[in-house]
Amino acid sequence: EHKDIATPLRTKQILEKYGLSAKKSLGQNFIVDTNILSKIVNAGEINKETTVIEVGPGIGALTEQLAKKAKNVIAFEIDDRLLPVLEDTLSPYDNIDIIHSDVLKVDMKAFEASHLADAKEVVLVANLPYYITTPIIMRFLESGLVLDRMVLMMQKEVASRISASPSTKAYGSLSVAVQYYMDAAVAFTVPKTVFVPQPNVESAIIRLSEKTEKNVQVNDEPLFFRLVRSAFVQRRKTLWNNLLVAFGKADDTKAKLEQGLEMASVDPKRRGETLTIEEFASLANAFSQLGL
Ligand code: SAM
């Protein structure tokens, strides 16, 4: 029976053995608390049918706990210094693949064909490098990979923005961008003390799951995302004012904007931050129909 990686002592020993120190520039904060790891694994509802994709295994703390419960784990790690470490720490497990790569450069379609062809259920689990939280999430959401769930550690403030509801301070284009694809909820918050080294910010676990409501139908995605971003440019202004700035004030544009708002039954005097994703979708569809 070998010792868990995720204890302060074992982590210290591993880092010393390899003469390693955490690289801040790669967002390296290692978890040294097995209770937090159990909570993460539980939130992922991982079982022997589950293929887990992990981003940033580090020295293997979370990877190990995932491998015990999952069918297999495939982990992307950018830092070549960690490859011999992982080889060593994860040697008791035969269901782990480490891919040495920048996750933002992975060709997801090719990865799906080579690694997920006979996967039954695929779950993304990660203690994310915080400097690229949003790019990583958006890359997986936009990739077209079919993920059953995602359980992701990130900075608490980003977690509240991702999971925010309309008419709250945290609601913005990031909330809409993520919730367009999946339902989002904060599963639990995590104190700084479970990491070595400790990050400067509080953390939280976000759980993304398949949408329970029917998917919103959007006919022109670029237009939808342009509309969403424009609605939040000046949060204190009305939707109408933000639309004029984004789309222009020419008479025929104004007329189309007005007509689109009416078709979608959205009051131009509202603030963008009050619109639901469904309302943004209807409005974008109306604008696209009018040739905006
Ligand atoms: N999973 C480990 C844990 O929980 O203790 C380490 C998590 S640490 C917050 C983030 C990890 O992501 C580090 O191992 C870092 O090297 C890795 N990483 C950073 N940027 C990456 C990238 N672009 N692609 C893949 N991995 C990356």
Side-chain angles (χ1 to χ4, degrees):
E1 210 14 41
H2 72 284
K3 291 174 265 154
D4 285 322
I5 298 166
T7 66
L9 179 61
R10 179 97 196 278
T11 299
K12 186 166 169 265
Q13 286 169 343
I14 293 168
L15 294 175
E16 269 168 12
K17 175 171 172 189
Y18 288 90
L20 285 178
S21 54
K23 262 195 193 165
K24 240 188 171 168
S25 62
L26 291 178
Q28 292 178 352
N29 302 93
F30 304 118
I31 298 182
V32 293
D33 182 319
T34 49
N35 285 324
I36 290 292
L37 294 179
S38 314
K39 287 176 77 174
I40 294 174
V41 174
N42 288 342
E45 294 175 61
I46 286 147
N47 61 58
K48 285 294 163 191
E49 309 246 279
T50 314
T51 293
V52 177
I53 303 174
E54 191 194 13
V55 175
I59 61 171
L62 173 58
T63 323
E64 167 183 61
Q65 306 302 331
L66 292 166
K68 289 184 193 168
K69 293 276 167 67
K71 174 170 164 247
N72 64 314
V73 181
I74 308 161
F76 295 103
E77 177 54 63
I78 195 173
D79 185 354
D80 49 13
R81 303 177 312 157
L82 297 173
L83 302 180
V85 183
L86 290 163
E87 183 99 14
D88 176 4
T89 59
L90 299 177
S91 61
Y93 306 91
D94 61 4
N95 58 346
I96 302 173
D97 271 333
I98 303 289
I99 301 179
H100 180 209
S101 162
D102 177 345
V103 71
L104 295 178
K105 297 203 171 127
V106 174
D107 175 340
M108 290 294 170
K109 280 288 150 202
F111 167 70
E112 182 173 40
S114 59
H115 287 81
L116 303 176
D118 46 33
K120 285 217 175 92
E121 181 186 64
V122 184
V123 179
L124 179 70
V125 182
N127 171 16
L128 290 171
Y130 292 179
Y131 73 106
I132 43 172
T133 298
T134 305
I136 292 176
I137 296 174
M138 293 317 298
R139 185 162 180 103
F140 278 99
L141 289 174
E142 290 166 357
S143 69
L145 270 194
V146 180
L147 295 172
D148 293 86
R149 280 179 294 291
M150 301 193 200
V151 175
L152 305 170
M153 172 108 75
M154 63 192 68
Q155 145 173 18
K156 196 170 152 188
E157 180 259 329
V158 179
S160 35
R161 286 201 279 135
I162 285 177
S163 58
S165 309
S167 300
T168 64
K169 219 172 147 191
Y171 186 65
S173 50
L174 181 62
S175 327
V176 178
V178 173
Q179 295 171 35
Y180 171 64
Y181 295 99
M182 295 182 96
D183 284 343
V186 173
F188 54 96
T189 58
V190 178
K192 298 174 186 179
T193 49
V194 306
F195 303 94
V196 166
Q198 290 187 19
N200 296 323
V201 292
E202 300 296 330
S203 299
I205 298 287
I206 275 271
R207 192 170 183 282
L208 301 182
S209 50
E210 275 180 88
K211 285 175 84 77
T212 50
E213 311 258 316
K214 211 172 123 285
N215 273 2
V216 289
Q217 196 60 51
V218 167
N219 300 328
D220 180 344
E221 283 191 354
L223 179 61
F224 170 76
F225 287 113
R226 182 174 164 219
L227 165 65
V228 170
R229 278 193 306 273
S230 73
F232 291 103
V233 166
Q234 297 239 43
R235 296 185 69 101
R236 304 186 52 80
K237 287 201 172 169
T238 60
L239 179 62
W240 178 248
N241 276 315
N242 277 324
L243 288 176
L244 290 184
V245 172
F247 290 85
K249 293 176 182 161
D251 283 344
D252 67 322
T253 308
K254 265 187 169 170
K256 285 177 183 172
L257 289 172
E258 229 159 11
Q259 201 185 336
L261 284 156
E262 192 162 314
M263 286 162 68
S265 311
V266 174
D267 182 343
K269 290 197 285 296
R270 286 169 63 185
R271 286 187 185 169
E273 65 191 18
T274 68
L275 269 68
T276 63
I277 296 181
E278 290 72 19
E279 287 177 315
F280 276 121
S282 321
L283 195 53
N285 289 344
F287 286 172
S288 127
Q289 205 181 319
L290 295 166
L292 270 168

